[in-house]
Amino acid sequence: MDTSLTGKFAAILFTYSPTAEERSAARRGVKDYLASTLPVFFDAVPDNGKQSLLNTFSPSNSVENLALKLGYISHALDYDDYHATFRGHPSTVILSSLFALSHALGRYKAEDFLDAYIIGVEAAGRLGRAIGSRHYGMGLHSTATLGPLAATAACCRWLNLSREQTQIALGLAATQSSGLRAQFGSATKPLHSGFAARSAVNSVQLAMANFPGQESGVLESFLSVFGYHAEQPQQLLADWATPWRIIQPGLEFKRYPTCGGTHSAAEAAFVLRQRCFELGVSDPYTAIKRIEVSFPPGADTAPNICHPVDGVQARFSLEYVIADALVNGSLALEHYTAMPVNPSLSSLAARVERCPDFSAPADELDPDRRFHRITLFLDDGQQISHCVTRQETAATYTDVDEKLAVSLALLPPSVAEQFSATLTLDSDKQLQQLASLLCS
């Protein structure tokens, strides 16, 4: 028996079985995945990377390119779920890999599929804790670096690989991990997810074909190299599934099609918009002279684009999101696609000043304590302010069914009806139908 960390991790993937509670959470995750995927999948909203990707890496008769396609498209809107301890987007990588392999291999056991997804989310949360606090802060994109390992773990469980094959697959996934946050605000960010899903599929395929690789020591090396002296390897195995990571802290489902690092700022702006109405302010463009947004040091690391030129960049702009929320009281999907930004919103966004609050703990040390405090300076001399914390935002319920219904409404009725017939995912037939719709 291999007692290395890699060996123990491979073994634990097959040790625990989820219950109906976890499977219910997984079904909700699948719905959110579809809500985030379908608008770009069916070209209901513009995207500037999809066609180039498909022209270069045709998914026809290629399971790895199919995983790449699904990984890219499901993250293209940056509307997909987030996991706090993973500090990234697990489902886009895990489900894209699982759907591609399910379709290619003709495996349609719905309960086993959901269990593999749950295992993947568990692995994602564990990897996020084990890698420590410096990984993301050093400029790495966790969805791209940790995602291949989490998705490989799910696929190994799904395909019931041997322990030795699982260890080799995990090592192959680890050695392919890459992805820089510097690409945020471009089509390369969702490409990270596609590459991660493809890496997972490649790793599993090679392991199944008995490709030789190191069975031990690779995960240990991965954590050491990419942990930057903050890694906690013991977190990879400690208290596995007690509770399951898909339950606690759980998947966070986005209510807005923008970077999660902008959401509490948007919600603070929504409150201030209402206060402006109560004060008789009807035109924010003329009434607001200046806007300050404060946050813990480093909390604007992801939303770091101050002057976006299109909606893709605007997803990562605190300034633009705040302006949109103040003017419109919502963050509409059509404002955050590959189309140019609204000039009027950009003019208001230019009045936003970032003011880090150095009395707060650094975001890298405790991202759960993140907040955004927005202060409006009005032309009549009044100042109004409101603060919303990340914990408040995360605790607010997201209606995934409604989110999916909005996405389905963008599709031709006959297509929407086909997807609607698969949504409970409570039978093998439904899994087969859904995989066919996504992969054919």
Side-chain angles (χ1 to χ4, degrees):
M1 177 178 176
D2 188 341
T3 59
S4 69
L5 182 65
T6 304
K8 290 179 179 177
F9 185 66
I12 207 169
L13 299 178
F14 299 88
T15 302
Y16 293 86
S17 294
T19 69
E21 180 184 11
E22 290 80 45
R23 291 178 192 127
S24 177
R27 288 185 174 93
R28 192 167 177 237
V30 173
K31 288 183 179 180
D32 187 80
Y33 175 87
L34 293 173
S36 305
T37 301
L38 296 180
V40 175
F41 192 99
F42 287 101
D43 300 315
V45 298
D47 178 80
N48 56 15
K50 174 185 168 183
Q51 197 56 53
S52 297
L53 178 71
L54 298 183
N55 289 343
T56 306
F57 299 107
S58 172
S60 300
N61 302 315
S62 171
V63 62
E64 62 177 20
N65 286 348
L66 179 56
L68 171 63
K69 171 189 172 181
L70 292 176
Y72 174 85
I73 290 176
S74 59
H75 195 45
L77 295 175
D78 218 292
Y79 206 11
D80 49 309
D81 64 41
Y82 177 85
H83 194 277
T85 51
F86 181 58
R87 203 158 188 185
H89 306 263
S91 295
T92 177
V93 184
I94 297 167
L95 287 175
S96 295
S97 305
L98 288 173
F99 276 123
L101 285 169
S102 175
H103 179 72
L105 300 178
R107 293 178 63 96
Y108 301 116
K109 296 291 291 183
E111 191 169 283
D112 291 347
F113 181 94
L114 293 171
D115 286 357
Y117 174 29
I118 294 161
I119 290 291
V121 174
E122 183 75 14
R126 295 292 170 179
L127 287 160
R129 294 177 65 177
I131 203 70
S133 60
R134 294 292 295 147
H135 183 77
Y136 189 86
M138 290 297 290
L140 294 167
H141 180 198
S142 300
T143 305
T145 54
L146 308 182
L149 281 160
T152 297
C155 292
C156 288
R157 169 71 177 241
W158 169 232
L159 300 177
N160 197 28
L161 267 61
S162 71
R163 181 162 149 176
E164 292 75 17
Q165 288 174 321
T166 299
Q167 289 177 228
I168 288 173
L170 291 168
L172 291 171
T175 207
Q176 296 178 80
S177 293
S178 64
L180 300 174
R181 282 194 292 102
Q183 290 286 1
F184 285 15
S186 78
T188 304
K189 183 176 190 280
L191 185 63
H192 285 171
S193 174
F195 281 157
R198 185 175 69 174
S199 293
V201 168
N202 282 337
S203 299
V204 170
Q205 287 180 310
L206 286 167
M208 292 174 69
N210 298 316
F211 185 87
Q214 292 289 0
E215 293 183 18
S216 301
V218 181
L219 282 185
E220 292 88 332
S221 175
F222 177 86
L223 295 174
S224 176
V225 170
F226 290 109
Y228 298 100
H229 307 294
E231 65 274 11
Q232 303 178 60
Q234 71 281 3
Q235 295 289 348
L236 200 59
L237 303 174
D239 303 319
W240 187 277
T242 53
W244 287 94
R245 299 298 101 183
I246 202 167
I247 300 297
Q248 182 63 40
L251 298 171
E252 295 180 18
F253 301 112
K254 286 187 171 185
R255 292 182 292 283
Y256 320 115
T258 63
C259 171
T262 69
H263 287 194
S264 55
E267 290 173 356
F270 294 154
V271 173
L272 291 176
R273 180 177 188 269
Q274 180 60 36
R275 289 188 186 174
C276 282
F277 285 152
E278 293 168 358
L279 292 171
V281 174
S282 58
D283 183 2
Y285 292 112
T286 58
I288 298 174
K289 294 178 59 178
R290 186 164 64 89
I291 305 166
E292 288 185 358
V293 54
S294 61
F295 41 78
D300 61 342
T301 296
N304 64 348
I305 298 177
C306 298
H307 306 290
V309 299
D310 60 27
V312 177
Q313 291 186 358
R315 299 169 193 163
F316 299 90
S317 173
L318 276 173
E319 291 81 0
Y320 194 86
V321 166
I322 290 168
D324 192 8
L326 286 170
V327 171
N328 295 307
S330 64
L331 301 180
L333 177 61
E334 57 265 28
H335 292 179
Y336 298 94
T337 69
M339 300 299 289
V341 293
N342 180 299
S344 296
L345 290 179
S346 292
S347 69
L348 182 60
R351 302 175 208 174
V352 177
E353 179 183 357
R354 302 187 185 207
C355 302
D357 183 349
F358 292 102
S359 68
D363 188 71
E364 179 183 304
L365 299 178
D366 192 354
D368 282 341
R369 295 182 67 182
R370 183 187 308 150
F371 62 83
H372 286 96
R373 181 181 295 107
I374 298 178
T375 303
L376 305 184
F377 297 82
L378 304 182
D379 60 352
D380 61 3
Q382 292 188 80
Q383 297 179 25
I384 56 176
S385 181
H386 190 72
C387 180
V388 174
T389 67
R390 201 203 89 79
Q391 290 181 328
E392 290 173 321
T393 298
T396 303
Y397 178 76
T398 298
D399 190 335
V400 172
D401 288 320
E402 175 60 26
K403 180 177 173 179
L404 178 56
V406 171
S407 291
L408 289 172
L410 298 173
L411 310 184
S414 59
V415 174
E417 185 177 348
Q418 287 181 294
F419 276 98
S420 296
T422 71
L423 295 180
T424 59
L425 209 61
D426 54 8
S427 70
D428 299 348
K429 182 179 179 180
Q430 283 195 357
L431 175 59
Q432 182 176 3
Q433 291 171 333
L434 180 55
S436 179
L437 288 168
L438 289 171
C439 301
S440 296

